[in-house]
Amino acid sequence: MIKFDNVSKKFATGTVALSDVSLSIDKGEFVFLVGSTGSGKTTLFRLLIRDILPTEGKVFVNELEVTNLPKNKLPHLRKGVGVVFQDLKLLLDRTVFENVALPLEVSGINSENARLKVEEVLRQVGLNEHKDKFPVQLSGGEVQRVAIARALVLAPQILLADEPTGNLDQSTSWEIVQILSEINKKGATVIMATHNSDIIKNMNKRIIHIEEGKIIKDEKSHEQKPHKETHRNEKKADNEKEPKESKEEKKK
Amino acid sequence: MKSFNTAWRNIRRSPYQAFAAILIMTLTFLVVSFFVFILVGSSKIVSYFESVPEVTAFFKNEASQEDINALENELSQTGKISSVKFVSKEEAVEIYKEQNKNDPILIEFVTADVLPASFEISAYEIEDLGSISEMLKKTPIVEQVIYQKDVISALTAWTSAIRKIGISLIILLSLVSVFIMVTIIGIKISHKKEDIEIMRLIGATSWYIRWPFIIEGIFYACIGAFVGWTIASGTLLYTTPFLESFLKGIPVLPVSYLSLLELLGLELILAVILGVLSSFLAVLRYLK
């Protein structure tokens, strides 16, 4: 489904964002991409929708060589990959409804069908009552959900979420992850970049650790062969951590 | 349809830019319309003179009635003349008064002595006018001979001068309006750079992004063409009575509404070309 073949990316500024990354993600997987800021997570996403080209190596999406795609095929690729951008990239002068309808509009879907789809997706992320508001009128978790709804509206096979819980509190983050998990259950491949370790531990999914442009660890999900003990231990660890965090939040 | 809505929203949200674009287009098409009127009018006048083979011979004051009669006989013997009309000094004054009846000052100083008597000679063929005028010039009692060749050549010289000035002015104004439109649409594109980037990232095709800007260009040009045409046609219709009396029987006016509509059609086609050209240049320049 998704494959990186010895991919390196060096920016014109000299920054090496990725060096010799090889990676493959199957259809229907839920993968966490973990690493500190500047580790190359966003670069990986940008390569997948060919917002940028790699300096070396090849990128494949759905058997399609993204790195060798003619320019006029880019819209087709991008319609098939939903992206929740780190900076959301919502149009601030358009309402929630209009923002979510944008990919449909771009694909030339007629407005009646578009309306039904948008309403369905907004219900899915729980935003139907806010559909006529503008992004600035919403809370952090709500705008995040708008971005997710927009990424989902074309029912893409692949969903990339770049730090979707970036500056949200614990419970809102959890809601967001639940939404992504639901989408994954319906068959979409989901890649979520994050550094929120609690969520990662609770979800028990494949985790790819990336640091300074290199994959340092690729932990497979334990779902296929459940290991009760580890699972229990993880949960325990979480329970211990939570009160500590809420205290920190109070301090803020 | 969606592109039209987007274009319309872009226009509404920057009224001053829209106004500037429409204004320059209006000016361009105003000039285009006026020059078309002048060119069509003058070429009609030229062809009118060409179609009526006439020579006017003005007599010297000392010319006697016998000499004039002799000349008339001589002329009719050539077989080239369809009619000869004698206009006496008194008749000349009457005609002059009739032509200038709205201007008493001009009439006051003109008496029969000032104006010469003349022959208005019509020929069958325009080709014969040369030989007839040569013959008249050789006659001692004739002071001056005027025939269409002079009028036509003077008019043709004027028309070609006007045509050159007109075409240069139209080209210059078209260039100016295209550049102004490129700038205005360019500003709009830069202003929406972020939105365009977002649309690209979610899979918008280049044409999806370009269309609203191209429609916008066509819109400005067409509105400009329509306003320019309306002003020019209105002015023409308003001044028709005055111009008709000025042109004295030369059948140029009134211009039919159908030909005005034809002009509008042609101008709208030109507007679409200018609009597409300028927005396309802007899109190529600012949307890579």
Side-chain angles (χ1 to χ4, degrees):
Chain A
M1 180 118 234
I2 291 174
K3 207 169 129 197
F4 284 81
D5 234 355
N6 306 96
V7 173
S8 298
K9 176 67 190 178
K10 191 180 174 186
F11 285 106
T13 51
T15 324
V16 180
L18 290 177
S19 63
D20 202 24
V21 169
S22 289
L23 172 67
S24 122
I25 293 166
D26 291 332
K27 190 172 160 54
E29 262 194 283
F30 192 117
V31 179
F32 283 112
L33 202 57
V34 185
S36 50
T37 314
S39 57
K41 304 187 296 283
T42 303
T43 305
L44 219 61
F45 284 175
R46 290 178 73 191
L47 286 167
L48 277 173
I49 54 165
R50 218 181 92 174
D51 186 19
I52 49 172
L53 278 168
T55 322
E56 272 171 58
K58 288 174 183 175
V59 180
F60 297 87
V61 172
N62 291 335
E63 318 299 323
L64 216 65
E65 193 183 335
V66 174
T67 33
N68 206 10
L69 206 62
K71 240 186 168 172
N72 59 358
K73 292 275 190 297
L74 282 185
H76 176 74
L77 166 78
R78 288 174 182 171
K79 282 171 197 164
V81 182
V83 186
V84 181
F85 297 96
Q86 191 166 15
D87 55 354
L88 304 179
K89 297 200 190 293
L90 296 175
L91 300 180
L92 299 180
D93 60 347
R94 299 205 190 187
T95 62
V96 168
F97 182 92
E98 288 166 334
N99 265 291
V100 176
L102 197 61
L104 298 167
E105 197 186 303
V106 158
S107 309
I109 287 163
N110 78 48
S111 51
E112 185 51 32
N113 280 344
R115 192 179 59 81
L116 294 174
K117 276 196 178 173
V118 171
E119 279 174 1
E120 186 195 320
V121 173
L122 284 177
R123 256 196 305 279
Q124 200 180 337
V125 297
L127 276 181
N128 220 358
E129 69 273 26
H130 295 307
K131 67 179 181 184
D132 293 324
K133 288 188 180 167
F134 287 90
V136 285
Q137 296 171 300
L138 301 177
S139 72
E142 284 163 347
V143 281
Q144 197 64 249
R145 282 186 279 163
V146 176
I148 294 175
R150 191 184 66 188
L152 283 182
V153 78
L154 281 176
Q157 287 180 293
I158 299 169
L159 183 72
L160 310 177
D162 198 355
E163 303 269 9
T165 61
N167 37 25
L168 299 179
D169 61 65
Q170 199 67 28
S171 66
T172 319
S173 299
W174 192 242
E175 278 171 29
I176 298 288
V177 175
Q178 286 311 314
I179 292 169
L180 294 178
S181 179
E182 283 301 312
I183 295 154
N184 174 244
K185 277 180 194 149
K186 287 180 183 164
T189 311
V190 176
I191 308 177
M192 173 173 159
T194 184
H195 48 237
N196 190 329
S197 46
D198 297 309
I199 286 170
I200 302 162
K201 279 176 194 157
N202 281 329
M203 287 290 289
N204 186 25
K205 303 279 186 190
R206 179 177 171 191
I207 306 164
I208 297 168
H209 295 265
I210 179 166
E211 236 20 277
E212 287 174 0
K214 285 184 184 132
I215 292 174
I216 51 169
K217 207 157 109 193
D218 192 347
E219 296 174 76
K220 298 285 176 200
S221 141
H222 305 290
E223 265 179 355
Q224 282 87 357
K225 12 176 192 164
H227 205 294
K228 276 181 186 166
E229 220 173 312
T230 16
H231 205 73
R232 212 180 292 139
N233 284 347
E234 271 175 12
K235 272 203 172 159
K236 210 173 162 190
D238 266 321
N239 289 341
E240 279 168 12
K241 218 172 182 181
E242 240 169 67
K244 202 172 147 195
E245 284 220 345
S246 49
K247 260 184 215 163
E248 274 173 13
E249 265 175 31
K250 272 174 201 162
K251 272 184 213 163
K252 281 176 201 166
Chain B
M1 196 56 220
K2 207 71 209 177
S3 305
F4 279 96
N5 291 342
T6 313
W8 179 237
R9 184 169 49 212
N10 291 351
I11 294 161
R12 261 194 358 246
R13 286 189 182 171
S14 52
Y16 289 104
Q17 289 169 4
F19 188 66
I22 290 172
L23 211 59
I24 186 69
M25 279 295 173
T26 301
L27 183 64
T28 305
F29 282 99
L30 189 66
V31 171
V32 169
S33 310
F34 275 132
F35 273 95
V36 169
F37 292 158
I38 291 172
L39 286 179
V40 172
S42 57
S43 72
K44 270 189 174 174
I45 293 170
V46 169
S47 61
Y48 167 76
F49 278 113
E50 280 171 349
S51 71
V52 188
E54 254 183 18
V55 179
T56 308
F58 294 99
F59 295 116
K60 288 177 181 164
N61 274 337
E62 62 265 28
S64 68
Q65 192 61 44
E66 293 91 65
D67 292 336
I68 292 169
N69 289 345
L71 180 62
E72 190 175 355
N73 277 332
E74 203 182 323
L75 282 170
S76 46
Q77 274 160 19
T78 58
K80 295 171 182 170
I81 311 294
S82 64
S83 76
V84 177
K85 190 187 166 210
F86 178 72
V87 180
S88 68
K89 280 170 170 283
E90 289 72 26
E91 282 167 333
V93 171
E94 286 309 309
I95 294 167
Y96 180 83
K97 280 182 178 168
E98 179 60 30
Q99 285 176 354
N100 296 291
K101 61 185 171 193
N102 298 327
D103 212 337
I105 300 169
L106 285 178
I107 297 170
E108 209 175 313
F109 298 102
V110 175
T111 59
D113 295 335
V114 185
L115 295 171
S118 61
F119 263 171
E120 282 177 5
I121 304 155
S122 298
Y124 292 113
E125 298 295 332
I126 194 162
E127 290 77 28
D128 295 331
L129 292 179
S131 62
I132 294 168
S133 101
E134 283 310 306
M135 187 184 126
L136 288 167
K137 273 178 190 163
K138 281 174 200 150
T139 317
I141 54 163
V142 172
E143 167 90 52
Q144 197 189 1
V145 178
I146 290 176
Y147 78 111
Q148 281 84 348
K149 198 180 166 197
D150 302 326
V151 178
I152 291 168
S153 60
L155 266 177
T156 314
W158 273 102
T159 315
S160 80
I162 291 169
R163 186 176 293 145
K164 276 175 199 151
I165 297 170
I167 288 172
S168 331
L169 203 59
I170 288 170
I171 290 173
L172 187 71
L173 275 171
S174 303
L175 280 177
V176 170
S177 49
V178 165
F179 284 128
I180 289 180
M181 293 254 292
V182 168
T183 313
I184 288 172
I185 294 171
I187 291 169
K188 289 181 169 228
I189 292 173
S190 327
H191 190 69
K192 292 184 68 106
K193 214 157 203 143
E194 212 172 315
D195 289 14
I196 290 167
E197 191 52 40
I198 292 171
M199 290 199 233
R200 282 230 166 109
L201 286 175
I202 60 175
T205 57
S206 299
W207 278 106
Y208 176 86
I209 292 165
R210 282 174 195 158
W211 266 120
F213 294 110
I214 290 176
I215 290 169
E216 207 177 321
I218 295 173
F219 174 83
Y220 293 142
C222 285
I223 295 287
F226 187 76
V227 175
W229 172 85
T230 308
I231 296 173
S233 304
T235 313
L236 180 71
L237 292 176
Y238 181 74
T239 54
T240 292
F242 165 74
L243 288 172
E244 261 178 333
S245 73
F246 177 76
L247 288 168
K248 289 178 195 99
I250 301 169
V252 177
L253 292 165
V255 176
S256 74
Y257 291 112
L258 188 69
S259 25
L260 285 180
L261 286 178
E262 273 172 18
L263 176 66
L264 176 65
L266 288 175
E267 287 187 356
L268 286 177
I269 292 170
L270 180 64
V272 170
I273 293 170
L274 285 184
V276 168
L277 178 72
S278 32
S279 30
F280 208 78
L281 283 176
V283 162
L284 285 186
R285 171 82 178 77
Y286 297 98
L287 268 183
K288 292 228 173 87

